Amino acid sequence: MKKSVFLGALTVAGLTAGAAAAATLDDVKARGTLNCGVTTGLVGFAAPDNNGNWDGFDVGVCRAVAAAVLGDPQAVEFVPTTGKTRFTALASGEIDMLARNTTWTFSRDVDLKFEFVGVNYYDGQGFMVPKELGVSSAKDLDGATVCIQTGTTTELNLADYFRKNSMNYEPVPIETNAEAQQQYLAGACDVYTTDASGLAATRAAFEDPSAHVLLPEIVSKEPLGPLVRHGDNEWGDVVRWTLNALIAAEELGVTSANIADMASTAGDSPEINRLLGTEGNLGEMLGLEADWAVKAISAGGNYGELFEKNIGETTPIGLARGLNAQWTDGGLLYSPPFR
Amino acid sequence: MTIMTDPQQESFRPSMLLNDTRYRSYTFQFIALIVLIAIIAYLGYNLVLNLRAAGLNISYEFLGEPAGYDINQTLVDYTSRSSHLTAAIVGILNTLLVAFLACLTATIFGVIAGVLRLSNNWLVRKLMAGYVEAFRNVPVLIWIIIIFTIMTAVLPAPSAFRGDDPDSSMILGSVAFTNRGVYVPMPVWGPGSMVVVVTFILSVIGVFAYRRYAKKLLYATGKLLPMGWPSLAILFVPSILVFFIMGQPISLDFPELGGFNFRGGLQIGAPLIALWFALSIYTGAFIAENVRAGILAVSKGQTEAAASLGLRPRRIMNLVVLPQALRVIIPPLISQYLNITKNSSLAIAVGYADITATLGGITLNQTGRAIECVLLLMLFYLLISLGISAVMNLYNNAVRLKER
Amino acid sequence: MSDTHAESVAYVRETMLPETPPPAAETGITRWMKQNLFATVPNAVLTVAAIVVIYFLLAATLPWILNGIWNAASIRECREILDGTTGGCFAVLSDRWNQLLFGFKYPSTEYWRPALAFLLLFVAAAPVMFFKYLPRKMLLFTAVYPFLAFWLIWGGSIVPPLVLLLGFVAAYVAFKTLEKRGFGVAVLGGLGVLIVAIILAGSIGKIEVLRLEQVQSRDMGGFMLNMILGTVCISLSIPIGIALALGRQSDMPIIKWICVVFIEFIRGVPLITLLFVANVVLAYFLPPGTTFDLIIRVIIMITAFASAYIAEVIRGGLAALPRGQYEAGDSLGLDYAQAMRLIILPQALKISIPGIVNVAVGLFKDTTLVSVISMFDLVGMIRGPILASTDWNGVYWELFGFAALLFFVVCYGVSQYSQWLERELNTDHR
């Protein structure tokens, strides 16, 4: 008798807690910080610098969301996650969003019950080999030893590719990028494979980057994007439209330099006005301040600025825009309209 | 006139549950049981609630689905189309393989170092003390990483074997040490090879039979038969004869440099070697201490008594000291074996596909079934540990001093 | 008699010869070498082999260490300075020194706090470690230390730890006064007071007195994290271990079996799987919406792990006591709690101390495993942020050598202490 009362009390407690957990936006506002899951360290995407400040392209997305919601790009608690822990961290509510170059796949979206809010980087899995091997195509890699950074879809794509081309290989799965790189440089494997962006970042850190080539084959589609839990659509909308705001801002020519001007008074372009909150009430619809997008864009600049600063051609990583150009420039970035 | 010897039956009062030692233990146990059930119910209830909230369920169906990834070192047939269950089995076998190999070599390292620590050679004694302290006092994870790094950096890559004037060459043209692993010739079992194998096994049995007969003869008549060369002869001559009679059914497949790697032969991967070596040298340091303590535990009187009986030093060691020392050494030795098995779970740091890396690593990553994978993982280690503990208890009961 | 000798045998010497020095081969270093290094042929072979091994070890490491670079901004600069010669790039240690010790998120202006807490640890531990030589009064500081260290490392107001400390004192007083009415009542009373103190400490934490900048648990890192995990988990696990060991020896079957199952389960699985549980599974077993820091989940798991091992060590100590001690306790009319507290445990713990220290050393080393679940302890810092940074990408030996050295110093020190203590406590009168 007593026990059923006890359990009943627990049910009530549990349900209220469950209901509270669903409203992530309120939680974040109440807490005053955004818990954002990132990698344990991948230069250009998310890595702590000498002073322990996180920096990178994925980090930029986190900061933009924090700025949009809380008004402060620094109000982010970065939670480093590994390939193994990231999904549990998100599912259990330890983090509010995950921006950890995670590939958008069917099973993650449907079976694991996550919601990918968009794509912030179109990537694909590539191969890096030492130039002296004289390999010019991934089709020549029959019998090679391949170092893989585990924890993403890499192993599966690799297995599929070699199977499809009926080639053999020796996989060497390695936990961290740094260790995989050491194996590769010591010649313990012939090929290093991970996302092409990761390969470029890795090669940039080599003693002699020119001694290594990236093979032309890209063996998989890797749309990387931030994700949130299923079932909390309000919060999903906030993250989705913050990302879209960054992309749209580049398309519309809004940069961190001119945004202060543009946001002070309503301009000629209605879409910019709606984006920046000088017209309409988009912010209110999201449950945010009117100038949410202004803060998000001011945090680190628009999509193009973030890209250039962290992984663009002027950085050691030196990635070209490629697929990640605006649709107007022949890329795939295409933000739905702000209206 | 009967005298009442029984104490008067007291009527039961609730306070007796706490104050009366007869009932108090029931009270405590009852409370403990209720608390335990409540905790388990609470956790289970939370689990159900959480899973419902996330729309997930507990299901082991993923074990039947294709794993989709490849594994470099497998003892059974495995392709990327095999199921997650097969991948887990590959992992289990790999764990057992590395644990078994490491147990063997750790014992060898440990016994050598332990005996040498008691050597009367000062330099050797200090060197071994240095080895034991250096390995005992640094985390095994750091040693695994350091040894793996040393292996990849020091050993040559297969490309060093290439060209007209290669930097490295194969030892005896058949064994190659590379930083991807060691390539050794692999026996190819042709038709009729079973006969050779059976002959060899029979020879081994024959050797034991011969030795037993010789011992019996010695005790019965005092006649000492030669031991060394007849044993060798029994061991090898029949097998070699049969080998040639059957037309050399067993041949060797030599590793050859081809393409990116060595081909043919038997490859023992670098991760396996690094993990094997790291575990054995680390645990060897602990075993050395056990061996030393075991030998020191045999009282000096035993040695002196044996010496006064006229036994020679080697016989004193074999017949008097070691049998007594083993009684002290073996129980901690078995728990060191248990530690090796558990520490082999760090294979993840060197990319060796043990059970933690397959089921608890890639499978967990790919399917996202954290609860199921971790549960199975713990179950496996638990079974292994209980198995080893059972062996240990059997041994302890067998060697217990029969006290009267 | 001697004179008769002299008369009868003319060639017998009458006076003693002056003492000659022993032959060169039997003195000083030569003799020592002959006895200790070249006593027999196999022995000499061993010596030569040992010298060869030592030579190779030194030849491989010495130039690398001596020629090391301590001052450079990145590995590229190191390579330039070395210019092809052998040498270590120890500059990474000086460049990332603070990160290696404190992690990368601890506020740099506050480094003195954990450093001070670390120094005070010795003061607090000394009266326990050298209980025979130091005054008992120093134990007071040991009792205060956990609260002080908590305040120093985590920061915030001093009020909550202070209230908690007073709560413990009050609980102790309550226990002492209630003790006459039975051990169980006293324990309940003490616990009651303690719970009140905890609630109080939680509610009045806002009062700002002697406020230090607050640091979140998740910002702990580097070697400091290893130290925190090691000391906290060991200190928590000793009382739990004692309880488990007593439970396992208990006559009450249910309690006994709960303890046996717990101990055997924990000892049967590797620590890393327990850490996986802390990291990826535990969240599912907590009420929805509760999230508490990874570090606390890890502390729970490591404590459970350590207490199972310590329970086994203490069980060994309990089993080693002669049966007569238990019977003596019973015959004096002591109840279970009194017998344990006054007779059995003091002796059993004394026997178990070396074993407990061994478990502590093992556990401290095992704290490096948290790097596998993305925590930035010393090894995690090295494998994560430092090796991933473009500046120090490729410096392995120096970093791992440093980590090994740091652990060696601590663990070797503790194990030497344990051996000293073993000699000190040697009570078997042989």
Side-chain angles (χ1 to χ4, degrees):
Chain A
M1 184 61 209
K2 259 185 183 163
K3 214 168 129 215
S4 67
V5 173
F6 177 61
L7 282 182
L10 282 179
T11 321
V12 175
L15 285 180
T16 45
T24 314
L25 181 57
D26 297 335
D27 281 0
V28 173
K29 281 181 177 166
R31 202 188 304 129
T33 52
L34 170 75
N35 292 336
C36 192
V38 291
T39 73
T40 50
L42 176 63
V43 177
F45 285 87
D49 65 8
N50 282 3
N51 306 318
N53 294 320
W54 286 85
D55 218 357
F57 190 60
D58 284 336
V59 168
V61 176
C62 294
R63 292 205 191 281
V65 173
V69 176
L70 303 164
D72 177 8
Q74 300 303 320
V76 191
E77 193 65 60
F78 290 101
V79 181
T81 56
T82 63
K84 190 179 295 148
T85 65
R86 54 183 162 177
F87 296 128
T88 323
L90 185 57
S92 69
E94 191 184 344
I95 52 179
D96 303 314
M97 61 177 283
L98 181 66
R100 184 198 183 278
N101 43 9
T102 303
T103 308
W104 187 351
T105 68
F106 181 90
S107 65
R108 284 173 181 174
D109 199 331
V110 177
D111 187 32
L112 295 185
K113 315 280 180 199
F114 293 119
E115 186 167 349
F116 286 82
V117 298
V119 177
N120 70 339
Y121 191 87
Y122 288 94
D123 212 335
Q125 185 175 341
F127 298 99
M128 174 163 65
V129 292
K131 203 172 249 169
E132 57 171 22
L133 275 187
V135 173
S136 59
S137 158
K139 296 256 161 57
D140 303 337
L141 290 177
D142 192 14
T145 303
V146 185
C147 276
I148 321 164
Q149 197 196 341
T150 64
T152 176
T153 46
T154 340
E155 294 105 336
L156 308 188
N157 297 331
L158 187 70
D160 286 353
Y161 182 76
F162 275 81
R163 194 180 174 77
K164 196 170 69 191
N165 293 299
S166 39
M167 299 191 296
N168 288 316
Y169 71 107
E170 287 268 327
V172 183
I174 310 276
E175 273 268 296
T176 68
N177 188 42
E179 274 153 28
Q181 185 183 321
Q182 189 247 345
Q183 294 289 307
Y184 170 74
L185 285 178
C189 37
D190 303 300
V191 191
Y192 181 31
T193 180
T194 183
D195 292 345
S197 60
L199 287 180
T202 306
R203 188 174 70 153
F206 283 173
E207 200 176 351
D208 179 13
S210 62
H212 302 270
V213 287
L214 302 186
L215 297 182
E217 281 87 353
I218 295 293
V219 299
S220 70
K221 289 185 287 187
E222 307 280 344
L224 309 179
L227 54 155
V228 297
R229 279 180 295 276
H230 242 322
D232 187 355
N233 297 335
E234 285 74 21
W235 175 243
D237 288 344
V238 168
V239 182
R240 174 179 300 113
W241 286 96
T242 308
L243 179 62
N244 283 337
L246 296 181
I247 297 172
E250 190 192 12
E251 185 188 343
L252 301 171
V254 181
T255 67
S256 55
N258 63 16
I259 191 165
D261 281 348
M262 286 182 154
S264 55
T265 51
D268 301 332
S269 158
E271 176 142 30
I272 294 179
N273 292 344
R274 284 194 296 273
L275 175 65
L276 300 183
T278 48
E279 194 182 310
N281 57 352
L282 296 184
E284 196 186 314
M285 292 179 202
L286 273 178
L288 300 175
E289 316 257 316
D291 61 347
W292 63 282
V294 180
K295 290 177 190 152
I297 297 163
S298 316
N302 63 30
Y303 183 90
E305 287 175 276
L306 278 177
F307 194 102
E308 284 312 317
K309 193 170 70 192
N310 293 304
I311 50 180
E313 277 169 333
T314 55
T315 64
I317 294 157
L319 291 173
R321 284 298 285 267
L323 288 178
N324 295 294
Q326 292 287 339
W327 63 285
T328 45
D329 302 333
L332 291 177
L333 290 184
Y334 187 97
S335 163
F338 277 75
R339 69 169 64 248
Chain B
M1 283 294 284
T2 50
I3 302 162
M4 285 278 283
T5 44
D6 282 350
Q8 197 161 357
Q9 281 305 103
E10 273 184 77
S11 59
F12 179 78
R13 279 171 289 114
S15 66
M16 282 168 70
L17 281 178
L18 204 60
N19 294 330
D20 192 319
T21 41
R22 279 171 300 174
Y23 301 113
R24 190 158 58 188
S25 69
Y26 292 108
T27 323
F28 280 158
Q29 294 191 56
F30 183 71
I31 295 173
L33 199 63
I34 293 291
V35 169
L36 185 73
I37 291 174
I39 291 175
I40 292 176
Y42 179 62
L43 294 179
Y45 174 73
N46 280 334
L47 178 66
V48 172
L49 215 64
N50 277 315
L51 289 178
R52 196 187 301 150
L56 297 171
N57 58 345
I58 299 269
S59 139
Y60 289 92
E61 274 169 25
F62 70 94
L63 285 175
E65 286 159 19
Y69 57 91
D70 285 298
I71 298 177
N72 48 7
Q73 183 110 29
T74 61
L75 293 176
V76 290
D77 277 339
Y78 175 84
T79 66
S80 59
R81 293 288 94 197
S82 307
S83 64
H84 281 294
L85 185 64
T86 323
I89 290 171
V90 168
I92 289 176
L93 291 176
N94 279 344
T95 297
L96 295 178
L97 173 71
V98 75
F100 175 72
L101 291 175
C103 285
L104 282 185
T105 41
T107 314
I108 296 171
F109 285 153
V111 170
I112 292 176
V115 171
L116 285 184
R117 271 200 85 173
L118 295 170
S119 139
N120 43 16
N121 185 321
W122 180 85
L123 195 63
V124 171
R125 222 159 52 216
K126 292 293 163 200
L127 196 67
M128 286 302 138
Y131 155 66
V132 168
E133 295 301 342
F135 278 87
R136 265 173 18 128
N137 289 313
V138 172
V140 62
L141 179 63
I142 295 184
W143 275 125
I144 291 178
I145 295 175
I146 288 184
I147 286 173
F148 188 49
T149 322
I150 290 182
M151 249 194 88
T152 39
V154 171
L155 291 176
S159 57
F161 291 80
R162 208 169 283 134
D164 295 331
D165 183 23
D167 298 334
S168 313
S169 54
M170 294 165 77
I171 297 164
L172 300 175
S174 53
V175 180
F177 284 90
T178 74
N179 59 4
R180 289 178 195 178
V182 177
Y183 296 83
V184 292
M186 184 170 61
V188 179
W189 308 100
S193 56
M194 271 321 287
V195 183
V196 183
V197 174
V198 170
T199 316
F200 186 73
I201 294 172
L202 286 178
S203 314
V204 173
I205 298 172
V207 170
F208 278 104
Y210 172 75
R211 295 205 149 204
R212 221 173 136 163
Y213 166 72
K215 205 174 192 177
K216 215 166 146 192
L217 201 69
L218 177 70
Y219 288 166
T221 65
K223 206 173 139 207
L224 192 61
L225 286 182
M227 279 293 199
W229 61 265
S231 304
L232 277 180
I234 297 174
L235 194 60
F236 288 113
V237 173
S239 302
I240 294 172
L241 279 181
V242 171
F243 177 71
F244 283 104
I245 291 168
M246 295 301 293
Q248 306 184 11
I250 305 174
S251 57
L252 287 178
D253 178 23
F254 287 94
E256 265 177 85
L257 198 60
F260 293 99
N261 281 325
F262 281 93
R263 289 193 184 168
L266 184 68
Q267 186 203 0
I268 309 164
L272 170 61
I273 294 175
L275 186 68
W276 173 15
F277 185 69
L279 285 178
S280 32
I281 200 163
Y282 176 79
T283 318
F286 287 85
I287 294 180
E289 283 300 272
N290 295 337
V291 169
R292 189 172 77 117
I295 294 177
L296 287 178
V298 179
S299 109
K300 213 168 174 66
Q302 296 286 328
T303 324
E304 288 164 357
S308 69
L309 283 178
L311 293 179
R312 276 169 287 150
R314 221 181 118 187
R315 299 222 148 185
I316 295 177
M317 198 59 170
N318 285 341
L319 298 176
V320 178
V321 177
L322 273 186
Q324 299 186 62
L326 278 183
R327 203 191 299 275
V328 183
I329 294 171
I330 296 223
L333 189 66
I334 293 179
S335 66
Q336 291 302 340
Y337 290 166
L338 202 55
N339 282 345
I340 288 186
T341 316
K342 287 191 278 177
N343 282 340
S344 71
S345 58
L346 295 177
I348 201 164
V350 291
Y352 178 67
D354 79 329
I355 178 80
T356 314
T358 55
L359 181 67
I362 307 180
T363 294
L364 198 164
N365 279 345
Q366 299 303 351
T367 61
R369 299 264 171 208
I371 301 174
E372 295 91 332
C373 287
V374 172
L375 214 60
L376 286 177
L377 196 61
M378 290 170 93
L379 196 66
F380 164 73
Y381 281 110
L382 206 57
L383 286 179
I384 293 276
S385 302
L386 292 180
I388 295 180
S389 300
V391 172
M392 178 147 75
N393 286 340
L394 281 182
Y395 175 83
N396 280 345
N397 288 337
V399 302
R400 177 180 293 156
L401 284 176
K402 305 287 183 295
E403 286 177 26
R404 271 175 276 267
Chain C
M1 282 296 274
S2 59
D3 49 356
T4 53
H5 247 307
E7 281 160 17
S8 56
V9 201
Y11 50 82
V12 170
R13 194 190 295 280
E14 285 176 355
T15 50
M16 287 291 279
L17 276 177
E19 265 186 47
T20 49
E26 290 297 325
T27 52
I29 185 112
T30 339
R31 173 164 177 271
W32 183 87
M33 276 177 60
K34 198 173 156 194
Q35 283 195 343
N36 287 301
L37 298 181
F38 301 100
T40 57
V41 174
N43 217 326
V45 173
L46 273 181
T47 305
V48 172
I51 289 174
V52 170
V53 169
I54 293 172
Y55 170 76
F56 274 110
L57 280 180
L58 290 184
T61 51
L62 266 191
W64 180 74
I65 293 173
L66 294 180
N67 201 16
I69 305 292
W70 286 92
N71 215 338
S74 71
I75 187 169
R76 283 174 290 281
E77 211 176 308
C78 263
R79 284 177 184 143
E80 267 169 38
I81 299 174
L82 283 172
D83 198 25
T85 55
T86 318
C89 185
F90 298 106
V92 65
L93 301 182
S94 32
D95 189 50
R96 297 293 178 105
W97 180 255
N98 287 330
Q99 287 196 0
L100 286 168
L101 292 191
F102 301 107
F104 61 87
K105 278 161 89 184
Y106 206 88
S108 55
T109 48
E110 309 290 324
Y111 284 152
W112 62 272
R113 280 159 42 185
L116 181 64
F118 178 68
L119 287 180
L120 289 179
L121 177 64
F122 289 99
V123 184
V128 182
M129 292 171 76
F130 306 101
F131 47 87
K132 274 193 186 163
Y133 304 98
L134 290 169
R136 276 291 168 95
K137 277 189 183 146
M138 283 183 70
L139 280 173
L140 274 181
F141 181 74
T142 312
V144 173
Y145 178 75
F147 306 96
L148 184 65
F150 175 82
W151 177 61
L152 276 175
I153 294 177
W154 274 268
S157 163
I158 199 174
V159 173
L162 206 60
V163 172
L164 218 52
L165 173 62
L166 292 177
F168 269 97
V169 174
Y172 181 72
V173 171
F175 174 80
K176 274 287 167 192
T177 45
L178 287 173
E179 203 179 358
K180 291 182 199 79
R181 306 190 50 194
F183 184 77
V185 182
V187 167
L188 284 181
L191 275 180
V193 174
L194 195 61
I195 289 169
V196 171
I198 291 173
I199 296 169
L200 208 62
S203 57
I204 61 170
K206 303 284 185 296
I207 302 173
E208 311 266 322
V209 182
L210 281 179
R211 189 178 177 79
L212 292 173
E213 187 186 338
Q214 194 145 13
V215 184
Q216 296 294 321
S217 319
R218 63 175 70 167
D219 294 348
M220 311 286 158
F223 194 59
M224 180 178 74
L225 182 60
N226 294 110
M227 290 297 293
I228 292 178
L229 287 177
T231 45
V232 170
C233 294
I234 283 294
S235 0
L236 288 178
S237 62
I238 288 175
I240 301 176
I242 293 175
L244 282 173
L246 291 179
R248 196 172 178 164
Q249 298 261 308
S250 159
D251 307 327
M252 299 184 250
I254 295 180
I255 302 229
K256 181 178 177 181
W257 282 107
I258 292 174
C259 293
V260 168
V261 168
F262 179 83
I263 292 174
E264 291 304 325
F265 173 74
I266 297 277
R267 277 161 41 93
V269 297
L271 179 57
I272 197 163
T273 56
L274 291 178
L275 293 177
F276 283 166
V277 169
N279 199 12
V280 299
V281 179
L282 201 58
Y284 287 111
F285 289 96
L286 299 172
T290 44
T291 52
F292 55 102
D293 269 348
L294 183 56
I295 185 171
I296 296 173
R297 284 182 267 156
V298 164
I299 285 179
I300 293 174
M301 281 301 169
I302 299 186
T303 305
F305 183 77
S307 21
Y309 280 81
I310 286 184
E312 283 300 277
V313 171
I314 293 176
R315 185 170 74 115
L318 289 172
L321 279 193
R323 185 95 222 125
Q325 296 292 327
Y326 293 87
E327 287 159 0
D330 287 344
S331 68
L332 283 177
L334 301 179
D335 64 18
Y336 178 77
Q338 286 170 325
M340 283 299 147
R341 213 152 44 90
L342 301 173
I343 297 186
I344 306 299
L345 277 182
Q347 302 184 65
L349 286 182
K350 199 165 145 186
I351 306 174
S352 331
I353 286 178
I356 293 178
V357 175
N358 273 346
V359 172
V361 170
L363 187 88
F364 179 60
K365 288 187 295 174
D366 281 347
T367 55
T368 49
L369 297 195
V370 299
S371 67
V372 176
I373 54 162
S374 75
M375 282 175 83
F376 292 125
D377 75 318
L378 181 60
V379 176
M381 277 309 292
I382 294 173
R383 294 178 75 193
I386 296 182
L387 280 181
S389 73
T390 31
D391 285 348
W392 300 113
N393 192 317
V395 191
Y396 303 96
W397 312 98
E398 294 82 351
L399 289 165
F400 284 116
F402 172 71
L405 187 70
L406 216 49
F407 274 98
F408 180 80
V409 168
V410 175
C411 296
Y412 185 71
V414 175
S415 66
Q416 287 305 101
Y417 162 75
S418 152
Q419 283 173 19
W420 173 82
L421 191 68
E422 218 164 322
R423 286 193 297 274
E424 193 86 340
L425 292 176
N426 204 350
T427 46
D428 52 340
H429 307 283
R430 275 210 275 200

